Amino acid sequence: MHGLFVTGTDTGCGKTEISLGLMAAMQATGPSVLGMKPVASGCARGPDGLRNDDAVRLRAQGSSEAPYGLVNPYAFAPPIAPHIAAGEAGVEIRLPTIEQAYRTLAGEADQVIVEGVGGWRVPLGPKLFLSDIPRALGLPVILVVGLKLGCINHALLTVESIQSTGGVLVGWVANQVDPTMLSRDANLATLAALIDAPCLGVLPWLEAPTPSELAGYLHPELIDLQPRHAAKLATTKTRTEARAQTGARAAKRRA
């Protein structure tokens, strides 16, 4: 396993915090880790161009200093749905660009934690969805469930969508985003009974946790890479490599 893709039940469920925590947990056991956020909206313009706070944090947590353009290939200023932001900017979000950035990062670290944007089926273009990214990269999926009223429905719908769109769910993390949530433990028990993947951690409400503090609640060693999952990921990787080779040959012919 050379990386993980972190998605969530919705915007604001804590994907960045969990991604940072996973990075810190892995780094604590020795491997070098880099973070990536392929697409981000709500970016601030500075002297070096558009920068997204979540991508900046992922980059800072990395075991080495990767170029920002690799960590966040597509950055958009307005805090709106990424496909709308891309359209307004006259930019087409393309998988080959994301794949190339990921391959470069993967060549510099033992693990790459790739954070999605919004939820699993966020559109990135007329025929492109967030769910296409982990399939293109051959990455297993971690689901972050924001613990609040309605989270069971959101989680189960997301799990069904991951499975029906070819994703490989290998674990989930519960993150309490509502400090006053009622019947939290009963909700957790229901999620554990109905999600066919291990729970990698349960995070309580935390005001401003550090990555190392978050890592204490996470257990990436429980990630479920069963034989059927490994075979599916290997098939996806083979298809991705074949597509990359085809693109390289086409570019060579054009040259």
Side-chain angles (χ1 to χ4, degrees):
M1 183 180 65
H2 203 85
L4 291 168
F5 188 88
V6 179
T7 191
T9 45
D10 54 7
T11 298
C13 65
K15 295 186 299 297
T16 302
E17 303 302 328
I18 301 307
S19 296
L20 291 167
L22 286 170
M23 292 176 70
M26 291 178 175
Q27 288 164 332
T29 62
S32 60
V33 186
L34 291 174
M36 182 182 185
K37 190 174 180 70
V39 181
S41 54
C43 302
R45 188 173 298 280
D48 298 319
L50 290 170
R51 294 291 184 267
N52 174 264
D53 286 344
D54 294 343
V56 168
R57 295 175 68 198
L58 291 170
R59 180 176 182 242
Q61 184 62 33
S63 299
S64 60
E65 188 175 1
Y68 183 85
L70 294 179
V71 174
N72 179 208
Y74 289 103
F76 304 104
I80 57 178
H83 72 293
I84 298 175
E88 291 182 354
V91 173
E92 179 187 2
I93 298 174
R94 302 179 66 250
L95 278 179
T97 299
I98 295 172
E99 290 176 30
Q100 182 57 52
Y102 171 78
R103 285 195 294 270
T104 302
L105 292 175
E108 300 294 328
D110 299 316
Q111 299 285 341
V112 182
I113 302 300
V114 183
E115 182 196 340
V117 58
W120 179 251
R121 290 296 284 171
V122 164
L124 301 178
K127 297 182 179 180
L128 184 66
F129 294 86
L130 181 85
S131 54
D132 293 319
I133 294 178
R135 287 197 303 159
L137 302 182
L139 293 180
V141 179
I142 301 296
L143 172 63
V144 178
V145 179
L147 291 180
K148 60 181 181 180
L149 183 63
C151 66
I152 295 174
N153 179 61
H154 292 163
L156 297 183
L157 285 173
T158 304
V159 169
E160 289 179 7
S161 185
I162 291 171
Q163 295 170 341
S164 67
T165 53
V168 178
L169 181 67
V170 294
W172 60 282
V173 176
N175 181 38
Q176 188 166 351
V177 296
D178 177 3
T180 63
M181 182 184 186
L182 300 176
S183 302
R184 189 196 77 148
D185 291 345
N187 277 265
L188 283 170
T190 300
L191 290 167
L194 295 177
I195 297 178
D196 184 21
C199 178
L200 307 179
V202 178
L203 280 73
W205 169 259
L206 299 169
E207 284 288 348
T210 63
S212 59
E213 183 180 0
L214 292 163
Y217 292 95
L218 297 171
H219 302 281
E221 70 276 8
L222 299 178
I223 289 173
D224 179 19
L225 274 182
Q226 299 178 29
R228 70 178 189 276
H229 290 160
K232 188 172 183 180
L233 287 167
T235 300
T236 301
K237 182 178 180 182
T238 300
R239 290 173 179 168
T240 300
E241 291 172 345
R243 185 167 60 249
Q245 291 170 1
T246 300
R249 287 195 295 268
K252 187 176 181 180
R253 286 197 298 270
R254 289 194 297 270

